[in-house]
Amino acid sequence: MLRTIVQKQTFSARRVVNVNLARFFSSNSDLKVVGGDGKNRVVVLGTGWGGFNLALNMKSNKPPSEITPEIRVVSPSNHFVFTPLLPSTAVGTLEFRAIQEPIRKVLGTNGNFVQAKAIDLDPDEKTLICESTHDQEKFKIQYEKLVIAVGVKTNTFGIKSIVEGDGIYFLKHLYHARNIRNNIIDSFEKAAVPGTCEEERRRLLSFVVVGGGPTSCEFVAELYDFVTTDIKKLYPELVKYVDVSLVEAGNTLLGPFDSKLQDYTKSLFDSRDIHVRLSTSVTGVEDYEGEGFRFPARKALLSDGSELPFGTMVWSAGLEPVQFTQKVDLPKSANGRFIVDDYLRVKGYEGSIWAMGDSAMNENEPLPQLAQVARQQGMYLADVFNNKIKEDEKPFRYFSLGSMASVGQFKGLYDGSKVGVKGEEVDVPGMTGFVALLMWRFAYWGRQTSIENKILIPMYWLKSFFFGRDISRF
């Protein structure tokens, strides 16, 4: 009887797959195939940490051949963003172009870039369905080997009122940081308009940051430095209205860090009158009207029953799979990530499909969703596709370098607990203060790919220190 049930379930599963494939072919059979048959082609989806480093390390000055594979990068974004420095751009400590690298600059003669979104996949025919970001026209790209490095998107946990815009902003891309920066400047200019009442000034200059991870904490730190240095000089009459709240659903800040560094950060924020609300979540956002208000107003509703009016909300509270990951019919874990083996090959499609970064997970040894994991995976797969190692010769092993964060006022954190590969870790003493900040800055400066950014970043740091941040709105 058990055998009969299994056979029926297997038949049902095959039937679903066949129906999906039939729909796939019927709806996309007339689409144009671009770039040939895909022989000896590695298609990389995404220009994040994994995809960028894979492309960078597969770069060749020789045209594609049997020895040199063609690499074709497909992504709606034509640049890589150095995400650890993204909070710095949101308040003008650094400029946006100093932390990005155009993907075409790192491609060699064997490389090609297509600005499009991958929207579907037929793994049996090795065909990818894409949609141009410019005119939404669909087309097909064929591959011999596919690497999925599409990353993840911001998770709003099903709260319908958390929609980007009108004072609510995510912080994952350059345009997010630009929107935050413009809104911050607008908030101060609106508050400075003669006749704006005090209650509205407090609302406009109230900042709510959701999430207690490194991105949120670093943004709060950058915002604090911005207010206490630049705003204090440029809008001295408005400083007293500024209020910053950090809302975290868990019971600690900087969850992956050592508890001593968590406590250090919490006490540091408390000393700066940054209101840290732990074990509290945002349950929704509402519009409201205040007496004498001139501008539309919104407030955050919290799980403890309280409310926080705000002019700017930065949401950096969670991650969830992107639409492509949700749609394609490949093996996935319970949290929606592609299941890969020790060699980053997607389960059931060994030799043709790999996945890495935030969109992939090895069920036997799950890795944190960190930039350094994706970077190392990209470098590892470059060795595989460059035939330096066979695809099943040497399993990927993540080497933890520790964790760093900038916490404002020329202070930083370094957590060196469990540095190294799993099973061989060593504990490096943790660090706080100015020396930790120098370590943070030198480490991220050294990770820059282009000479331009290695020159620009120190220049902007010096400019911010000596001349202040730019508050121009354009």
Side-chain angles (χ1 to χ4, degrees):
M1 183 176 179
L2 178 60
R3 183 178 179 181
T4 303
I5 293 172
V6 172
Q7 287 176 337
K8 287 182 178 179
Q9 290 177 338
T10 303
F11 175 77
S12 298
R14 288 175 179 170
R15 185 178 179 183
V16 170
V17 172
N18 289 334
V19 169
N20 287 338
L21 287 176
R23 289 174 180 170
F24 180 92
F25 283 117
S26 63
S27 61
N28 298 297
S29 58
D30 58 340
L31 295 182
K32 181 181 179 181
V33 177
V34 299
D37 61 5
K39 185 179 180 181
N40 198 35
R41 175 184 295 156
V42 179
V43 173
V44 181
L45 300 184
T47 51
W49 282 91
F52 176 81
N53 280 282
L54 173 57
L56 178 65
N57 287 278
M58 285 189 68
K59 179 179 180 179
S60 174
N61 292 324
K62 298 179 181 179
S65 64
E66 292 185 2
I67 299 175
T68 306
E70 175 197 351
I71 178 168
R72 182 163 294 204
V73 181
V74 179
S75 174
S77 176
N78 74 345
H79 58 272
F80 160 74
V81 179
F82 197 90
T83 49
L85 296 178
L86 197 56
S88 298
T89 66
V91 298
T93 306
L94 294 175
E95 288 301 322
F96 307 110
R97 295 197 180 277
I99 69 163
Q100 60 82 38
E101 300 281 358
I103 190 66
R104 290 186 182 273
K105 282 193 173 183
V106 302
L107 295 174
T109 308
N110 66 323
N112 196 297
F113 172 71
V114 180
Q115 190 167 22
K117 291 192 295 184
I119 59 175
D120 212 336
L121 169 68
D122 178 12
D124 295 326
E125 294 296 321
K126 295 187 175 182
T127 302
L128 193 68
I129 303 297
C130 300
E131 182 181 87
S132 170
T133 57
H134 301 288
D135 59 8
Q136 288 72 56
E137 182 176 342
K138 296 182 177 63
F139 54 89
K140 295 180 182 179
I141 295 178
Q142 293 185 309
Y143 62 86
E144 184 174 303
K145 297 174 181 178
L146 174 68
V147 181
I148 302 174
V150 293
V152 288
K153 63 181 179 180
T154 302
N155 192 347
T156 59
F157 304 101
I159 305 173
K160 294 182 180 180
S161 55
I162 304 298
V163 179
E164 193 172 11
D166 295 328
I168 301 175
Y169 303 96
F170 303 148
L171 187 53
K172 284 187 66 65
H173 302 287
L174 283 177
Y175 68 88
H176 290 152
R178 184 187 297 111
N179 290 339
I180 292 170
R181 186 164 162 183
N182 285 339
N183 193 72
I184 291 173
I185 296 168
D186 284 347
S187 294
F188 278 97
E189 293 297 351
K190 288 176 181 178
V193 172
T196 303
C197 67
E198 289 203 0
E199 185 182 350
E200 185 162 28
R201 284 179 172 176
R202 289 192 181 91
R203 197 273 306 172
L204 286 166
L205 302 183
S206 292
F207 301 88
V208 177
V209 182
V210 185
T215 299
S216 298
C217 290
E218 289 187 331
F219 172 74
V220 166
E222 289 282 356
L223 180 61
Y224 178 80
D225 285 351
F226 177 54
V227 171
T228 55
T229 55
D230 302 277
I231 296 301
K232 190 175 181 179
K233 296 176 183 177
L234 300 171
Y235 304 88
E237 74 283 2
L238 297 180
V239 173
K240 64 182 179 180
Y241 298 110
V242 176
D243 183 87
V244 181
S245 296
L246 181 57
V247 182
E248 164 57 29
N251 57 9
T252 61
L253 295 179
L254 298 172
F257 282 67
D258 180 80
S259 59
K260 292 181 180 179
L261 297 177
Q262 294 172 350
D263 294 340
Y264 172 83
T265 305
K266 173 69 165 56
S267 62
L268 201 63
F269 285 179
D270 287 342
S271 69
R272 299 171 181 174
D273 291 328
I274 296 169
H275 305 120
V276 179
R277 294 170 177 249
L278 299 176
S279 302
T280 307
S281 59
V282 175
T283 59
V285 169
E286 285 185 355
D287 297 334
Y288 79 103
E289 295 182 2
E291 185 176 352
F293 278 20
R294 306 170 63 174
F295 307 104
R298 311 190 82 184
K299 60 184 177 182
L301 310 178
L302 305 186
S303 59
D304 62 5
S306 60
E307 299 175 348
L308 285 178
F310 64 86
T312 304
M313 173 185 283
V314 176
W315 185 281
S316 183
L319 305 172
E320 68 173 336
V322 297
Q323 190 173 2
F324 175 81
T325 304
Q326 295 174 17
K327 184 175 183 180
V328 298
D329 188 20
L330 295 177
K332 296 172 198 161
S333 62
N335 58 8
R337 299 166 70 184
F338 295 113
I339 299 174
V340 297
D341 63 13
D342 294 342
Y343 308 95
L344 305 184
R345 302 176 301 183
V346 173
K347 188 176 180 180
Y349 296 92
E350 292 83 358
S352 64
I353 304 179
W354 288 255
M356 61 177 170
D358 293 348
S359 61
M361 189 180 82
N362 184 325
E363 289 186 309
N364 298 322
E365 190 176 334
L367 295 173
Q369 292 173 289
L370 299 174
Q372 59 178 303
V373 173
R375 176 179 178 273
Q376 291 178 33
Q377 289 175 334
M379 296 169 68
Y380 166 83
L381 284 185
D383 286 344
V384 172
F385 299 141
N386 287 331
N387 296 315
K388 292 183 179 180
I389 56 175
K390 295 180 181 179
E391 71 172 70
D392 59 354
E393 175 185 347
K394 180 182 177 182
F396 171 75
R397 300 192 74 189
Y398 166 57
F399 189 102
S400 174
L401 299 169
S403 301
M404 295 186 293
S406 169
V407 289
Q409 286 189 317
F410 292 100
K411 293 181 175 66
L413 309 173
Y414 174 69
D415 181 3
S417 58
K418 296 184 179 180
V419 169
V421 297
K422 187 174 181 180
E424 302 174 14
E425 299 100 335
V426 297
D427 285 338
V428 177
M431 198 179 302
T432 61
F434 182 65
V435 175
L437 178 72
L438 287 179
M439 185 177 179
W440 180 87
R441 287 195 169 184
F442 275 110
Y444 289 150
W445 174 81
R447 283 276 184 248
Q448 301 305 309
T449 302
S450 66
I451 296 297
E452 299 99 305
N453 285 354
K454 286 188 175 182
I455 294 173
L456 287 173
I457 287 174
M459 286 177 59
Y460 282 122
W461 278 334
L462 288 172
K463 174 185 174 295
S464 297
F465 179 75
F466 287 107
F467 305 109
R469 297 165 179 81
D470 182 17
I471 63 163
S472 301
R473 172 70 163 89
F474 53 89

